[in-house]
Amino acid sequence: MLNVGMILYPGFQVLGLSMSATFEVANQFAGKDVYGITLLSEHGGMVKTSAGFCVETEAFDDRRFDTLMVLGDNVVRPASAGLVDYLVESSSMTRRVCSICTGSAALAQAGLLDNRRVTTHWEHAPDLQATYPSLRVDSDRIFINDGPIWTAAGMSACLDLSLALVENDLGHELARKVSRHLVVYHRRAGGQSQFSVMNDLDPKTDRIQAALTFARQHLKTDLNVESLAFVANMSARQFSRVFQSETGESPAKAIERLRVESARLMMETANHSIDTVSTETGFGDQERMRRAFIRITGQPPQAFRRSLRSS
């Protein structure tokens, strides 16, 4: 059995506990108890969550765990001496050590992240980098695996990390079944941005939202203003004006961003050729995609793919 120890402390972000459902469902589909889950804390007993209720934990001891996970917090606070000592002592006897959100600060305090690529919640990434200069903090990643260390962004990224761990242990197909059972999109790739174009645009009306949803589902087609205006049941002129007012950018610019986001995801999740990616995401040719990538990401798609392979 792969024993998973989830490390809690007073005020930890309660969403992190949702990872236990991933391991629970993985056991169901595996047909046996692959994972065992233990909630740990420095002193054991009841530990209060960020939501105000308490959960029962077991105290740190000399038990060995396959995976240790330090959950996050809504704020960054120094880890206790007991937690730091436990991480230092346990890390050499544990296959992998993980952090969610601000839990990365505890790993850094214990010296486990020195000279590694890591991520954390985007709000706390600058402080983590400034406090620990030897780290290579990437604030635009859902999760990062660097050797035995796995770090994840904040909040819902804990589910992406737990699904990635299950896939690493039990394979892609079982992880896909788990995500489907949990009614979540099959885990976002670690390299996927913490930011979503759809969330960033945040249209105010259903008509503009419907047009954007249609666009994301039909990127391969010719998404001109007239076709989007038809979906929104508006004239092309009115649609362009309202779209700009609600999202802060033109329809053409928004579609380009959606296509770049989709192209990045294709390259992160499968080994498609650049030509295939450009066709499937509606760019039509590699040069058009290259120019869009440089405008939005600051690098061509070939450089983005090399960075994926190197990481």
Side-chain angles (χ1 to χ4, degrees), residues 49-270:
T49 71
S50 59
F53 62 85
C54 297
V55 294
E56 183 72 28
T57 65
E58 299 180 28
F60 295 157
D61 55 26
D62 58 358
R63 282 175 293 177
R64 293 194 176 192
F65 289 90
D66 172 80
T67 303
L68 283 174
M69 314 180 81
V70 183
L71 273 61
D73 198 341
N74 291 324
V75 297
V76 181
R77 60 183 100 227
S80 68
L83 173 54
V84 172
D85 289 344
Y86 180 72
L87 289 171
V88 172
E89 294 170 5
S90 301
S91 60
S92 62
M93 301 181 293
T94 300
R95 179 165 66 101
R96 58 193 176 195
V97 179
C98 313
S99 67
I100 310 299
C101 193
T102 59
S104 57
L107 299 191
Q109 198 173 330
L112 303 184
L113 303 185
D114 291 350
N115 301 309
R116 293 189 183 278
R117 286 185 68 241
V118 302
T119 192
T120 189
H121 192 290
W122 60 270
E123 286 184 319
H124 303 297
D127 288 339
L128 183 67
Q129 183 66 81
T131 305
Y132 301 96
S134 71
L135 276 56
R136 290 172 287 161
V137 180
D138 190 337
S139 62
D140 194 35
R141 291 292 178 266
I142 297 296
F143 64 84
I144 290 176
N145 172 213
D146 188 337
I149 304 296
W150 297 66
T151 54
M155 307 306 288
S156 65
C158 65
L159 284 174
D160 299 290
L161 176 63
S162 60
L163 284 166
L165 297 177
V166 168
E167 182 170 324
N168 185 257
D169 296 334
L170 303 176
H172 173 81
E173 183 58 27
L174 191 139
R176 185 190 66 80
K177 291 178 180 179
V178 172
S179 66
R180 183 180 177 87
H181 186 82
L182 294 175
V183 197
V184 298
Y185 181 82
H186 181 44
R187 74 162 178 84
R188 294 172 289 181
Q192 188 171 340
S193 174
Q194 292 188 35
F195 306 97
S196 161
V197 173
M198 293 290 283
N199 285 342
D200 192 27
L201 292 171
D202 192 25
K204 306 298 186 295
T205 62
D206 291 344
R207 289 186 176 189
I208 302 302
Q209 179 69 55
L212 277 171
T213 300
F214 174 85
R216 186 172 60 177
Q217 294 171 347
H218 298 83
L219 289 176
K220 196 175 179 179
T221 64
D222 181 17
L223 294 171
N224 53 42
V225 171
E226 287 74 18
S227 65
L228 295 175
F230 178 80
V231 173
N233 196 26
M234 303 167 72
S235 69
R237 182 176 181 180
Q238 181 189 23
F239 175 79
S240 294
R241 177 178 57 79
V242 175
F243 191 98
Q244 180 80 43
S245 174
E246 291 193 14
T247 68
E249 57 188 55
S250 69
K253 180 65 175 177
I255 298 306
E256 182 179 77
R257 290 178 60 198
L258 284 171
R259 284 179 166 143
V260 168
E261 181 179 70
S262 180
R264 286 180 58 171
L265 184 57
M266 280 189 70
M267 287 190 283
E268 290 167 354
T269 56

